[in-house]
Amino acid sequence: MRSRRGISVIAVIVLMLPVQLALHRFAGSEPYPALFMPSFGQVPVVGQRVVVTRLTVVASSSTKSVHVDPVELVPNETRLAESIARFFFEDEDAVREVAANGWLRGRLRNIGVEADNVEVTRERLFLDQDSHEVVQVVRVATYAVALDRGPA
Amino acid sequence: MNALVERLAGWADRGDFRSVDLGVYRLIFASTMLVLLPNYYWISQFDPAFYRPAPGPFTLLSGFPPPWVLAMLDVVIAAALALLLVGSRTLHCSLLLSGALLVGEGFAYSFGKIDHSILLVLTPLFLGMAGWGNSLSLDARQRGSGELPVNQWAMRAFAVSIGVAFGTAALAKGLGGWLSWSSQATYAYVRQRIERGRLDWLAPFAAEVDLPPLWEMLDWTTVALEGALILCALGWRSWRLGLCAATGFHVGVLLVLNIDFWMNMVAYGAFVLWSHAPATLHRPAPAPAPATHPLVRRLPPATLLAMAFALAAVSLLVAHLHGPSTESLGWVPVAAGLVIAIACLASSISFAVGSARSSSSRRAASRV
């Protein structure tokens, strides 16, 4: 009886392979929870050139401008921090939301930066495979947000 | 049809695990997890604007839970690990731990990226069903009878789950261009990570290796290994060989891409025959094993529980004050896995050579 149960469980697990792949394709991104290991997405190579995305955050006040490491703005010390920052700054609406409610100003203050505006730039760098030099830079998006003090 | 089901059921139930193997692994799992304690209270510091759940049940929620829920989740995980360590109410604690980890990781992955710790999440679930609380535990001491058999099918189901997880990765990589002769995907990721400042271990040296055929071979090897793992789950010896290869793969990923997949290494430990030293791919001969450790036999249950909870409280405190230890210690399980894999392969090779020698000498003696 127990063996039958085991075989049923194993059959369900095996069936999950095509079901998960179909869900992934249908939803456009990986579902959770699911039996997945890293697929790394599309290979970041275009015409023999490695593509790297660069995120630049500049915080400015009336007196000065400073480059801020986006990872430092994320209150997390695990390896998730880098991806949290990358995904977050891709979403302009979400950044405007935290700029309006005081959260972003608070985070900047936490790392010792006083600012009234933040400018975010996302670029795609194309690296030559032989020299490893950047041979082309394509700006994907640029936006600026004014930092609010949030609810008093 | 019935005969086929019976044969499949027989295959699922075939295995050489003993409850003492799983009992030792439970101690290793619980202590490792108490050191690398997963915690989720940090999520409470994020604004709801960050909530970007993956397709699935977390999309039904409008945002992160309140801080007290995350704090409770951390406490539940630490307490469940403490109870697992001493083996008290092991099955319930295993199910609770898998559930809590599933929920915690679900929120941690609701920022846009999934970090693939599902095997670690499933470990207590499958091992609990297999019976990792039947040996070296308070449960075994209270039961008092002899060694209980292992539900081998649960171990087989866990192995198949790992195979399926890697199968999805292999298929996605295959469809994503990894097998194109001109892609050299591994090299591209090394370059990408170097540009993002990941310069530890062998990454800077690897980036200088200008040998496209070698990188292309690595791409193909990666996809082949990930795709083959599900077939390895057909037999225990092939499965353990597959895990040894997967361990080598994770060590390579750590050295070249600076990604420590410690979660998988901890999960693979479930398939080591811990009561048989040195580690091996299969159990050549059964050995008697005690159902409870002498320490567990002597100390009163209340003392053991108090010690385990004190350890869990210290782990929780350290994790909250000091930050996650996975960032500094994540490489340790990977290195330990490499040592075990090498020992496993070496002892199996020496066993195979010894068997071949003894059978050839027997043949020679019979000719004389």
Side-chain angles (χ1 to χ4, degrees):
Chain A
M1 194 62 194
R2 181 165 282 164
S3 305
R4 293 280 175 107
R5 190 204 302 168
I7 260 305
S8 315
V9 171
I10 292 170
V12 169
I13 293 166
V14 172
L15 274 176
M16 279 173 73
L17 180 63
V19 171
Q20 289 186 148
L21 284 170
L23 271 176
H24 190 183
R25 188 149 274 222
F26 175 72
S29 61
E30 200 178 306
Y32 180 88
L35 286 171
F36 268 95
M37 282 289 113
S39 64
F40 286 94
Q42 206 67 30
V43 177
V45 175
V46 176
Q48 300 294 312
R49 286 171 180 172
V50 177
V51 185
V52 182
T53 308
R54 183 167 64 191
L55 177 69
T56 313
V57 177
V58 177
S60 55
S61 63
S62 55
T63 52
K64 64 175 181 180
S65 291
V66 284
H67 273 83
V68 177
D69 180 357
V71 178
E72 279 189 39
L73 293 173
V74 171
N76 176 263
E77 293 155 26
T78 70
R79 63 176 168 203
L80 283 173
E82 193 186 310
S83 55
I84 291 174
R86 203 173 60 241
F87 279 100
F88 183 68
F89 283 105
E90 275 178 15
D91 186 347
E92 188 179 335
D93 291 339
V95 177
R96 287 194 185 283
E97 205 176 317
V98 294
N101 67 17
W103 189 91
L104 193 53
R105 183 185 283 272
R107 288 305 305 167
L108 282 163
R109 199 166 280 161
N110 256 15
I111 58 168
V113 177
E114 286 292 340
D116 300 312
N117 292 288
V118 163
E119 190 180 275
V120 179
T121 307
R122 282 196 298 122
E123 294 163 314
R124 293 182 89 194
L125 312 182
F126 292 81
L127 311 179
D128 184 77
Q129 274 201 333
D130 296 323
S131 65
H132 305 158
E133 297 293 322
V134 177
V135 290
Q136 192 186 354
V137 180
V138 175
R139 189 166 285 197
V140 180
T142 303
Y143 61 88
V145 291
L147 300 179
D148 212 328
R149 289 183 193 281
Chain B
M1 187 66 186
N2 233 11
L4 178 68
V5 172
E6 284 305 316
R7 279 187 73 177
L8 286 171
W11 164 77
D13 267 345
R14 208 174 303 135
D16 51 4
F17 295 97
R18 296 184 59 193
S19 57
V20 69
D21 294 315
L22 305 191
V24 173
Y25 174 65
R26 196 194 73 247
L27 297 177
I28 293 170
F29 177 87
S31 20
T32 306
M33 292 291 281
L34 279 170
V35 174
L36 304 171
L37 192 67
N39 56 88
Y40 305 104
Y41 189 72
W42 58 268
I43 295 169
S44 63
Q45 297 174 67
F46 282 89
D47 188 89
F50 279 83
Y51 195 64
R52 205 169 278 105
F58 287 84
T59 51
L60 300 173
L61 303 173
S62 55
F64 300 113
W68 68 266
V69 174
L70 295 163
M72 279 304 295
L73 207 55
D74 288 358
V75 171
V76 165
I77 288 169
L81 283 168
L83 289 167
L84 269 188
L85 189 63
V86 293
S88 176
R89 298 182 189 279
T90 319
L91 180 59
H92 297 115
C93 287
S94 304
L95 300 180
L96 183 67
L97 182 60
S98 275
L101 287 173
L102 190 83
V103 173
E105 298 290 277
F107 286 121
Y109 299 158
S110 291
F111 290 92
K113 183 178 184 270
I114 294 176
D115 210 24
H116 305 101
S117 56
I118 194 72
L119 302 184
L120 192 74
V121 171
L122 293 177
T123 303
L125 174 75
F126 283 115
L127 272 287
M129 290 194 291
W132 68 348
N134 291 342
S135 186
L136 307 172
S137 64
L138 285 176
D139 288 346
R141 178 174 150 176
Q142 277 157 7
R143 199 184 56 246
S145 56
E147 190 181 347
L148 289 178
V150 167
N151 286 328
Q152 304 284 348
W153 67 263
M155 298 304 289
R156 187 77 78 181
F158 190 26
V160 172
S161 302
I162 296 174
V164 166
F166 275 104
T168 53
L171 282 170
K173 282 191 180 86
L175 296 171
W178 276 60
L179 300 180
S180 156
W181 289 109
S182 59
S183 66
Q184 285 103 52
T186 313
Y187 178 76
Y189 286 109
V190 171
R191 287 293 331 157
Q192 241 191 11
R193 293 184 72 80
I194 291 271
E195 291 300 318
R196 286 181 187 156
R198 299 296 177 107
L199 299 165
D200 293 331
W201 305 98
L202 300 179
F205 306 105
E208 296 303 317
V209 177
D210 189 17
L211 281 172
L214 174 76
W215 291 107
E216 198 51 49
M217 194 187 77
L218 281 176
D219 289 358
W220 280 75
T221 309
T222 302
V223 176
L225 173 69
E226 292 185 336
L229 219 49
I230 191 161
L231 299 176
C232 290
L234 291 173
W236 284 119
R237 199 183 297 203
S238 58
W239 176 246
R240 290 184 184 115
L241 261 177
L243 288 188
C244 288
T247 302
F249 166 69
H250 289 308
V251 171
V253 169
L254 170 68
L255 295 178
V256 173
L257 288 172
N258 295 174
I259 304 171
D260 57 66
F261 242 76
W262 67 270
M263 307 88 86
N264 280 22
M265 299 306 297
V266 173
Y268 300 162
F271 300 96
V272 175
L273 298 171
W274 292 101
S275 68
H276 186 88
T280 183
L281 294 176
H282 70 297
R283 190 187 298 285
T292 49
H293 191 269
L295 182 70
V296 180
R297 274 204 300 270
R298 267 184 232 119
L299 287 172
T303 312
L304 276 170
L305 282 169
M307 284 164 64
F309 279 125
L311 186 63
V314 170
S315 300
L316 203 54
L317 200 66
V318 170
H320 278 262
L321 294 178
H322 191 258
S325 43
T326 47
E327 295 311 291
S328 52
L329 296 175
W331 64 275
V332 176
V334 183
L338 179 66
V339 171
I340 292 165
I342 290 171
C344 192
L345 288 173
S347 88
S348 295
I349 290 168
S350 99
F351 178 75
V353 170
S355 305
R357 271 195 194 141
S358 63
S359 68
S360 68
S361 60
R362 267 199 308 274
R363 270 201 303 274
S366 66
R367 267 190 232 119
V368 171

